[in-house]
Amino acid sequence: MTDNADILTITHSASGASFAVHKFGATVISYKSKDGRENLFLSSSAKLDGSKAIRGGIPLVFPIFGPPTDAGSTMPQHGFARQNMWTVKDGSKHDSDEHAGISLSLNLADASAGRGDGNMWSVDNVKKDGTDCRLTLDIKVDGTSLTTILIVENTGSDAFNFNCLQHTYFAVDGSAAQDPTKCFVHGLGGYSCIDKIDSANDGKVASYDEDIDLTPGEVDRVYVHEEKHSALGVKIGVGEGKAIKMESMGEVDESPVPVSCVVWNPHIKKAKGMGDFTDEQYKDMICVEPGLLGHQPLLNPGKEARFTQIIFA
Ligand code: BG6
């Protein structure tokens, strides 16, 4: 790890578990459980100097997922949350018997990068329309889990729709990501698939005994639950004999909303085209990304959305 002053490491003294968060994007870049295992993948070529969204850890995706869908918008893929420096909230750093943690926030007015032109978040449009928001990330670690809660507050005078994700890169031991017996996602039964690589899978509903694995090559799928089904709970195989549980839940104005799940791995061809990822590192990671997407939440002025991910490792 670099000694970059924008990286804060928080240790839960009672258990020895710890995490590190980079102020750029409020990106959690390390989560070590009490046995010392690193649970998050961080590319050895990741840019940690604020020149680019960080490749690894838990980048935050807001307010769009993927490239912009508004005609003429130049907002970069996955939005501006991961493209700006966040501020540590005064007095939020703590370390008690129960947990240790910290909170960071980003006001829209301080998001100077990544808003693009030609969309409701563009600087010019915001002045006209009264769109405004504040993002907060509460992070805490204890002896069994890492919890990250993204809070989106509508501080403006207009309602807005948004998508958000916690784009979690899980580290896979032994470079085993392509071995379906060691690396898989279990728990997406009943979710229907939107497949960005192989349209033959589009609309297929995963069965309850099915594990998703990375053997087809590049995998880039969104799993959406068709019925009202708010909480997501998956088991992720991350190497020989090692699995991690991840849970996620969301609420908008205190009402539960469905959580979808993206499964992504670039495989070799895409890896070779990524400047901040080495050719072979696709074997060392699997992205399992809970998200408020598929169903686009509407957030009214004065209201907030809360979106939680808990990793039990
Ligand atoms: C995933 C998307 O969430 O993120 C993929 O589904 C995308 O389509 C991947 O390639 C990585 O995105 P980025 O912008 O961090 O390279």
Side-chain angles (χ1 to χ4, degrees), residues 55 65 77-78 82 167 196 220 262 264 270 289:
R55 179 72 63 199
F65 167 62
Q77 159 141 311
H78 293 343
R82 63 178 188 163
H167 194 305
K196 297 201 219 168
D220 192 355
V262 176
W264 179 67
K270 188 153 187 178
E289 314 159 25

Side-chain angles (χ1 to χ4, degrees), residues 195 197-204:
D195 196 318
I197 308 297
D198 181 1
S199 59
N201 289 326
D202 274 348
K204 275 193 190 160

Side-chain angles (χ1 to χ4, degrees), residues 87-216:
T87 305
V88 174
K89 283 182 95 171
D90 284 347
S92 66
K93 191 173 166 191
H94 64 277
D95 179 14
S96 66
D97 280 354
E98 287 75 36
H99 46 72
I102 200 164
S103 299
L104 295 93
S105 64
L106 176 70
N107 292 317
L108 184 64
D110 300 324
S112 53
R115 285 162 58 183
D117 293 322
N119 67 77
M120 65 177 291
W121 301 98
S122 309
V123 175
D124 288 352
N125 190 60
V126 163
K127 279 185 198 143
K128 243 184 0 235
D129 275 8
T131 306
D132 204 355
C133 75
R134 177 170 42 244
L135 305 177
T136 302
L137 185 71
D138 292 339
I139 316 163
K140 62 182 184 188
V141 66
D142 61 26
T144 54
S145 61
L146 176 82
T147 301
T148 41
I149 307 174
L150 177 64
I151 300 155
V152 181
E153 292 170 82
N154 185 339
T155 50
S157 51
D158 266 15
F160 59 76
N161 289 102
F162 67 99
N163 283 139
C164 63
L165 272 92
Q166 302 199 34
H167 194 305
T168 310
Y169 288 75
F170 289 92
V172 178
D173 295 338
S175 299
Q178 297 299 309
D179 180 341
T181 66
K182 296 179 183 162
C183 182
F184 54 82
V185 185
H186 180 82
L188 293 173
Y191 286 73
S192 68
C193 179
I194 302 165
D195 196 318
K196 297 201 219 168
I197 308 297
D198 181 1
S199 59
N201 289 326
D202 274 348
K204 275 193 190 160
V205 178
S207 65
Y208 285 86
D209 56 2
E210 184 178 343
D211 287 350
I212 314 304
D213 64 55
L214 302 176
T215 47

